[in-house]
Amino acid sequence: MRRLFRIVCFFVHRQKENTMSEQLIRQWQQVHTQVASLSEQAARPVTLIAVSKTFPPEDIRTLHTAGQRDFGENYIQEWQDKQTALADTDIIWHIIGHIQSNKSRVVAENAHWVHTVDREKIARRLSEQRPPHLPPLNVCIEVNIGAEAQKHGIAPEAVLSLAQTVAALPHLRLRGLMCVARADSTEAELTQQFTTMQQLLCQLQAAGLDTDVLSMGMSADMDTAIACGATHVRVGSAIFGHRAPKE
Ligand SMILES: *Cc1c(COP(=O)(O)O)cnc(C)c1O
């Protein structure tokens, strides 16, 4: 009897897991389809970055098997564990959270992209610590587009100067700009912030910097961001569901 009970439990549990991963794949497919259609309307390729912070490596593997290749992570320690668990995959890792100096090495050695460079010191460290046998680390400069005191990112006026510094570092490849719009924005305010980002990118291009990336748009505002020029959207909750707050 005990044995039978355990077998039944096993199958009930497995059924539940199957249903959950089916739901995850369904949500991802919806977002993926929506991004593809917005991208077509905008006549511009848009890369969907699945933001997997707080979710386990099994969920990432499920989506990777379904065809998702780009994943975004915020917390370096948490990402390290997942990256180790998924070392057998060809996942492209995007670091989209703030990087403290003492965490720069692991990022330089293992990430493909960093979207959140906002000071010269961290840029220099990443370049120095990037192993020479790897291709240059793709870098975006984070812009504090809503001028919010509690947010990271640099002021729009300071972008060009930092971009020139980053572009000159040997083991980094400056790709463009990243932002998180103000959470309380109206539609018009979102458009204004994303359009300013596009103008800032044009300013870099006009200064001769070879840049092509605007990383902007999340679950709630990716449609506006894509309409305003986004080439990379970072989508978490619309794919993975509600996140437990980070302690
Ligand atoms: C968490 C996070 C996202 C994803 O946000 P959702 O609203 O869940 O889509 C995107 N970008 C950054 C920088 C984040 O920290």
Side-chain angles (χ1 to χ4, degrees):
M1 264 318 272
R2 281 261 286 284
R3 175 120 189 268
L4 181 62
F5 180 70
R6 260 199 309 220
I7 292 172
V8 169
C9 280
F10 173 78
F11 279 105
V12 167
H13 181 69
R14 203 168 73 171
Q15 193 55 45
K16 196 169 148 225
E17 279 192 345
N18 282 345
T19 321
M20 279 167 68
S21 63
E22 277 161 23
Q23 189 188 342
L24 176 60
I25 292 172
R26 238 185 348 262
Q27 284 165 187
W28 169 74
Q29 271 166 342
Q30 264 171 25
V31 172
H32 186 270
T33 306
Q34 199 185 349
V35 170
S37 128
L38 293 164
S39 160
E40 197 177 301
Q41 278 171 41
R44 175 186 344 107
V46 178
T47 301
L48 170 61
I49 301 171
V51 176
S52 42
K53 63 182 169 212
T54 78
F55 291 95
E58 297 74 44
D59 286 355
I60 300 177
R61 192 177 288 280
T62 297
L63 291 188
H64 178 261
T65 306
Q68 174 66 30
R69 230 179 133 209
D70 293 81
F71 289 87
E73 287 281 340
N74 289 63
Y75 311 109
I76 307 307
Q77 184 68 51
E78 179 193 326
W79 165 62
Q80 258 187 289
D81 297 340
K82 295 183 196 178
Q83 201 246 332
T84 309
L86 295 160
D88 60 313
T89 68
D90 64 350
I91 286 175
I92 299 173
W93 291 111
H94 299 254
I95 299 303
I96 63 168
H98 185 67
I99 303 173
Q100 282 161 348
S101 293
N102 63 350
K103 294 283 164 69
S104 63
R105 181 173 296 279
V106 57
V107 173
E109 289 178 353
N110 298 287
H112 302 89
W113 285 74
V114 173
H115 292 237
T116 46
V117 167
D118 63 355
R119 56 204 196 281
E120 189 178 326
K121 183 183 170 195
I122 202 77
R124 288 196 186 284
R125 285 179 73 93
L126 289 171
S127 181
E128 281 160 16
Q129 294 168 343
R130 181 71 168 172
H133 69 273
L134 293 179
L137 183 61
N138 294 294
V139 160
C140 291
I141 290 175
E142 181 175 2
V143 185
N144 188 349
I145 197 65
E148 295 172 273
Q150 77 282 13
K151 275 213 187 120
H152 295 291
I154 61 166
E157 310 81 69
V159 166
L160 179 58
S161 162
L162 181 59
Q164 281 164 335
T165 303
V166 170
L169 292 170
H171 302 291
L172 302 186
R173 177 168 173 213
L174 178 67
R175 297 300 301 268
L177 302 173
M178 174 272 201
C179 78
V180 177
R182 287 185 81 107
D184 56 0
S185 299
T186 62
E187 194 59 32
E189 287 165 346
L190 282 178
T191 300
Q192 190 253 322
Q193 291 164 76
F194 292 143
T195 305
T196 305
M197 289 292 290
Q198 192 170 37
Q199 289 163 353
L200 286 169
L201 185 70
C202 286
Q203 185 194 24
L204 300 189
Q205 291 164 346
L209 296 169
D210 181 19
T211 47
D212 58 355
V213 169
L214 274 180
S215 165
M216 56 189 197
M218 321 195 334
S219 295
D221 56 17
M222 67 171 193
D223 46 351
T224 313
I226 292 174
C228 294
T231 63
H232 291 64
V233 288
R234 311 174 310 267
V235 180
S237 43
I239 297 174
F240 291 94
H242 178 69
R243 274 188 302 274
K246 178 94 179 159
E247 67 292 341

